[in-house]
Amino acid sequence: MNFTLTHQKVKDYEINEDTMAIVPFINERGAVCSEVYEREAVILVEKKPLRLIKDNCLYYGGSYDGKKEAARINMGKMCFAPIMIDSKLDLYFFPIQSPRNDTCIWLAQPHIRRIDRTGHKRSSVIFFNGMDLSIANTRASLLGKLHRAAQYRSVLINRTNERERRREQVRNRDLVLT
């Protein structure tokens, strides 16, 4: 799989269906910025990963703190809650450590095919497009976070689908009555 590294630095970035991971890096001035991994590109963004997540939560109509609280209400108290940035676009991300750490990587749950152990406390996240990302974290820890994010995504999708089914039943009933 060929990937195009975009050397153009952008000040802002809209998380979208192609966004697979947000990885921190230190730029030439010593500031923490983000490498955004997409299906076919890596984009350099002049924002910290958490700032990028927070800004995109607002862009898609909610606050980061509100989305974090929603995950905890729906899934129970947990550390490093997954964040639903936008359900219609299937944008569900989870942090691999405390989001307050500048070293925190954010992964998009729907894009992950598997996680392999590559060494002592090292893993490789394999995405559906074949790209892999080496991470200093245990496979078990990453799998736990991935499964929580997948479960949260499933809960929200099922809730939305159930609401749509009920709406469709009302529409069909109204059509029969007319």
Side-chain angles (χ1 to χ4, degrees):
M1 176 71 58
N2 288 334
F3 298 98
T4 305
L5 178 60
T6 303
H7 291 285
Q8 174 189 1
K9 294 176 186 170
V10 296
K11 293 201 182 295
D12 207 0
Y13 175 80
E14 182 182 311
I15 292 174
N16 60 70
E17 301 94 329
D18 290 336
T19 309
M20 301 186 310
I22 302 170
V23 179
F25 79 97
I26 308 296
N27 72 7
E28 64 280 352
R29 294 186 314 275
V32 177
C33 297
S34 299
E35 280 183 323
V36 177
Y37 289 78
E38 287 191 343
R39 288 182 190 163
E40 297 183 14
V42 178
I43 300 167
L44 307 177
V45 184
E46 293 182 352
K47 283 186 179 182
K48 292 181 178 185
L50 182 56
R51 178 81 268 148
L52 198 53
I53 293 286
K54 286 182 174 184
D55 289 352
N56 275 273
C57 285
L58 290 171
Y59 178 79
Y60 286 107
S63 74
Y64 170 78
D65 290 333
K67 289 175 185 275
K68 185 169 70 171
E69 182 65 18
R72 290 195 174 130
I73 288 169
N74 284 287
M75 300 294 295
K77 188 167 173 66
M78 70 180 96
C79 293
F80 319 139
I83 300 295
M84 180 274 299
I85 294 176
D86 187 81
S87 62
K88 287 184 181 177
L89 296 176
D90 207 21
L91 304 178
Y92 292 84
F93 283 76
F94 64 94
I96 67 159
Q97 60 181 260
S98 172
R100 291 185 304 265
N101 290 345
D102 284 342
T103 57
C104 180
I105 295 170
W106 288 81
L107 300 172
Q109 182 272 325
H111 286 284
I112 298 173
R113 174 178 286 157
R114 69 178 191 273
I115 299 173
D116 295 337
R117 182 178 187 269
T118 57
H120 180 67
K121 295 186 179 182
R122 289 217 58 88
S123 302
S124 184
V125 176
I126 313 299
F127 297 97
F128 280 106
N129 71 345
M131 191 172 101
D132 65 289
L133 180 62
S134 181
I135 296 178
N137 209 314
T138 66
R139 180 176 184 269
S141 173
L142 291 174
L143 281 175
K145 291 171 178 75
L146 174 64
H147 290 155
R148 275 198 314 266
Q151 182 182 10
Y152 182 48
R153 178 179 173 228
S154 178
V155 164
L156 295 182
I157 288 171
N158 289 339
R159 187 175 297 155
T160 302
N161 289 344
E162 180 59 33
R163 180 167 268 148
E164 282 299 315
R165 277 192 292 276
R166 281 185 268 161
R167 217 180 266 148
E168 188 64 29
Q169 288 171 345
V170 168
R171 272 191 226 120
N172 290 340
R173 188 187 70 215
D174 289 346
L175 286 173
V176 170
L177 294 175
T178 57

